[in-house]
Amino acid sequence: MKPILPLLMLLSIPHLATANAVADSPETTQVLDTIIVHATQPTNSDAPFSFDKSDYQGDLTKLPIGVFDSGIGGLTVLEAILSLDAFNNDNLRPEADGRPDFANERFIYLGDQANMPYGNYAARRKEDYLRELILKDTLFLLGKRSFDMPTSTKPRFDKPPVKAIVIACNTATAYGLEDVRQAIQKWGIPVFVVGVVEAGARGVNELISPTDAPSTIAIMATVGTCASNAYPKAIDRVTGLAGKRIPTVIQQGSVALAGAIEGDPAFVKNPHGSNSATIADYIQNDVTSLVENYRQSGPKEPIKMVVLGCTHFPLVEEEILKAFERLRTMDSNNDGKLPYQQLVAEHLQVVDPAKLVAKELFRRLAADRLRLTGTQASILKEDSFYMSVPSPNVAASLKTTNGDLTVEHKYGRETGKLYVEDTRVVPMRVEMLPESSRKLIQNRLPQVWKRLGK
Ligand code: DGL
């Protein structure tokens, strides 16, 4: 067996368990109020993090739909949206009709790569800064402002605004969904917002039957999502409302897996030799830590269900399942006893919230009469993909040798500096992504690849 302890040390970040992600402090309210005012001041119409409310008058049907995540993870949600065929496109009945449900719609995707991992802000007590980032992502989607290239001297203003927003990130949903909804309500624009956590809880609920024996559900997510307790709360609520037995929920926060999936050299084996851990190492350690902690908490029923509570994780779903299976059949003490066999069900059920998010998006568009039907066409010819990059104006001392923001800078920033753009949004091109993430998209997300990989 591979040694797991050195990597497990990475996971033991103090005060994670107590980080309260969702409490409203006076500072938090101020973050929201400041950005709400900044975003629509008439004198600010060209400023960063602003949008023009007059774009939201009249018929919005032809506008694209915005989807955002901290990185490429949200592309797993976009893939589910693009490939959904759960409805009849003509009469809206819940039956497949052989046509993609969003055939006429176009999408604008944003991955906030320069500021990720979102999952690690709470552990550094930077929840408010994370909330500001989530509102900035929203403002990018509502506005028209972007940059041609990382080195462009001026922004351009031709990106179309969006008619709906999907927060395709569990961490951003846990920390920012309510802020985004409140801000949109204060701006008085008819844009609805769909998040991923509630959808995950509904996915769990669908798999539990009222006659089931007690079961345990494992949430694999970022440390931030776990610290927020968004999943245990949502599962309690949804299963309770459905009159079902509330399952035991255990959580494993991963410090590094999302970053490793992004190919971020801070987290994963890289040619400069500064890190030798692989994606498989992180998965094995996260799964081992989860099940071992569960074992130590006393005899229980086996884990039956695993929720992929980070949108990056469906990209490595097979590897996660293999890690559970490996543990289940592992004779760790070479004594013929299998210490984890009783703790992991032989056939694990996997919940990926993405498909439920796609269905919710369809229903909301239909209910708000915002769907493009028949031969109606979006104002956007093709889906467009954007990502954030560090601004060239950031001092070299605040960047790593790869050009990324240093960890100290990333997690040392203060809220409220809305005219300072240390990152900027540019079109995402496949060659800008590390080869490893490019391959994951190509192999696992065919609909997205068709559009992005052109
Ligand atoms: N994809 C994001 C999520 O679903 C998290 C990745 C990150 O930590 O930035 O939570």
Side-chain angles (χ1 to χ4, degrees):
M1 182 190 163
K2 256 186 158 178
I4 54 169
L5 280 176
L7 276 167
L8 279 175
M9 283 165 62
L10 254 179
L11 304 171
S12 47
I13 292 186
H15 67 246
L16 280 178
T18 55
N20 183 357
V22 282
D24 256 5
S25 66
E27 194 197 337
T28 302
T29 314
Q30 203 191 334
V31 168
L32 186 58
D33 290 348
T34 309
I35 205 160
I36 286 174
V37 173
H38 169 94
T40 51
Q41 265 171 11
T43 46
N44 271 357
S45 59
D46 283 359
F49 318 119
S50 69
F51 76 103
D52 190 346
K53 268 170 74 166
S54 66
D55 288 336
Y56 283 95
Q57 281 157 11
D59 183 13
L60 307 185
T61 321
K62 294 191 168 169
L63 297 183
I65 297 162
V67 179
F68 78 85
D69 175 45
S70 62
I72 61 166
L75 294 174
T76 62
V77 178
L78 184 59
E79 178 74 18
I81 294 172
L82 294 171
S83 40
L84 188 75
D85 177 16
F87 299 91
N88 182 308
N89 286 11
D90 298 327
N91 59 26
L92 309 183
R93 287 211 185 98
E95 62 198 15
D97 63 358
R99 290 174 290 169
D101 292 331
F102 296 96
N104 289 11
E105 306 291 347
R106 294 295 172 265
F107 294 86
I108 295 190
Y109 184 86
L110 168 66
D112 189 15
Q113 259 97 348
N115 294 304
M116 74 102 54
Y118 279 7
N120 293 351
Y121 281 84
R124 300 185 188 245
R125 308 296 347 195
K126 285 288 176 182
E127 292 97 329
D128 285 326
Y129 196 79
L130 173 60
R131 287 174 149 184
E132 190 176 279
L133 286 174
I134 296 160
L135 288 160
K136 288 174 173 174
D137 295 336
T138 303
L139 284 163
F140 167 77
L141 292 174
L142 296 176
K144 298 195 198 109
R145 196 172 187 277
S146 70
F147 286 83
D148 267 335
M149 284 184 300
T151 50
S152 301
T153 47
K154 281 193 182 138
R156 54 190 294 162
F157 293 91
D158 56 358
K159 176 206 142 287
V162 298
K163 63 181 172 185
I165 293 180
V166 178
I167 306 186
C169 172
N170 293 269
T171 317
T173 302
Y175 288 82
L177 177 68
E178 288 315 314
D179 288 348
V180 173
R181 286 192 173 144
Q182 258 192 60
I184 284 178
Q185 196 189 10
K186 291 243 168 85
W187 290 321
I189 53 171
V191 173
F192 70 83
V193 188
V194 175
V196 282
V197 176
E198 194 82 9
R202 277 187 276 116
V204 167
N205 183 51
E206 278 181 5
L207 293 177
I208 300 177
S209 98
T211 52
D212 276 355
S215 62
T216 294
I217 292 166
I219 313 293
M220 309 232 8
T222 66
V223 275
T225 299
C226 293
S228 77
N229 274 323
Y231 266 103
K233 285 185 202 159
I235 292 172
D236 255 37
R237 198 169 49 241
V238 174
T239 53
L241 277 173
K244 295 189 182 163
R245 193 196 293 262
I246 294 176
T248 306
V249 177
I250 57 173
Q251 306 192 84
Q252 177 64 37
S254 183
V255 182
L257 185 52
I261 291 169
E262 292 278 340
D264 181 340
F267 294 107
V268 77
K269 193 172 178 159
N270 62 72
H272 314 291
S274 51
N275 196 323
S276 62
T278 64
I279 290 178
D281 291 332
Y282 289 121
I283 293 174
Q284 195 61 51
N285 281 281
D286 287 338
V287 170
T288 306
S289 163
L290 174 86
V291 183
E292 174 57 18
N293 285 336
Y294 185 51
R295 188 186 68 80
Q296 285 180 21
S297 70
K300 300 257 169 44
E301 67 280 351
I303 298 167
K304 274 196 190 154
M305 220 185 278
V306 176
V307 178
L308 301 177
C310 169
T311 54
H312 283 74
F313 296 177
L315 287 165
V316 292
E317 178 178 335
E318 282 160 40
E319 292 80 351
I320 290 176
L321 285 175
K322 270 188 204 148
F324 274 104
E325 183 56 14
R326 179 169 178 258
L327 207 59
R328 199 180 69 82
T329 53
M330 190 169 74
D331 180 5
S332 46
N333 300 319
N334 277 325
D335 57 2
K337 293 182 183 154
L338 309 180
Y340 301 112
Q341 194 184 30
Q342 302 305 319
L343 297 172
V344 179
E346 197 176 340
H347 300 291
L348 276 176
Q349 293 173 304
V350 178
V351 175
D352 173 0
K355 197 168 173 190
L356 281 122
V357 172
K359 286 186 183 172
E360 185 180 344
L361 177 65
F362 184 91
R363 286 195 202 98
R364 286 298 306 271
L365 280 179
D368 291 7
R369 300 195 181 284
L370 283 171
R371 278 183 70 238
L372 282 169
T373 54
T375 54
Q376 280 183 304
S378 171
I379 55 166
L380 204 58
K381 266 212 192 97
E382 296 179 334
D383 299 326
S384 25
F385 297 82
Y386 292 89
M387 65 194 275
S388 64
V389 293
S391 157
N393 306 328
V394 173
S397 59
L398 305 178
K399 290 185 193 167
T400 66
T401 45
N402 300 302
D404 300 331
L405 299 179
T406 60
V407 169
E408 295 71 30
H409 177 66
K410 207 181 271 183
Y411 298 107
R413 294 173 290 178
E414 299 299 333
T415 57
K417 302 198 166 62
L418 300 174
Y419 293 94
V420 180
E421 260 180 314
D422 59 359
T423 66
R424 49 171 53 173
V425 177
V426 299
M428 181 192 282
R429 292 194 309 274
V430 275
E431 61 274 16
M432 291 161 84
L433 301 172
E435 202 194 333
S436 53
S437 27
R438 217 182 302 163
K439 282 208 172 120
L440 284 174
I441 300 169
Q442 188 173 10
N443 296 336
R444 317 235 165 152
L445 309 177
Q447 293 301 327
V448 167
W449 183 252
K450 234 199 290 183
R451 292 152 172 88
L452 175 65
K454 281 188 191 168

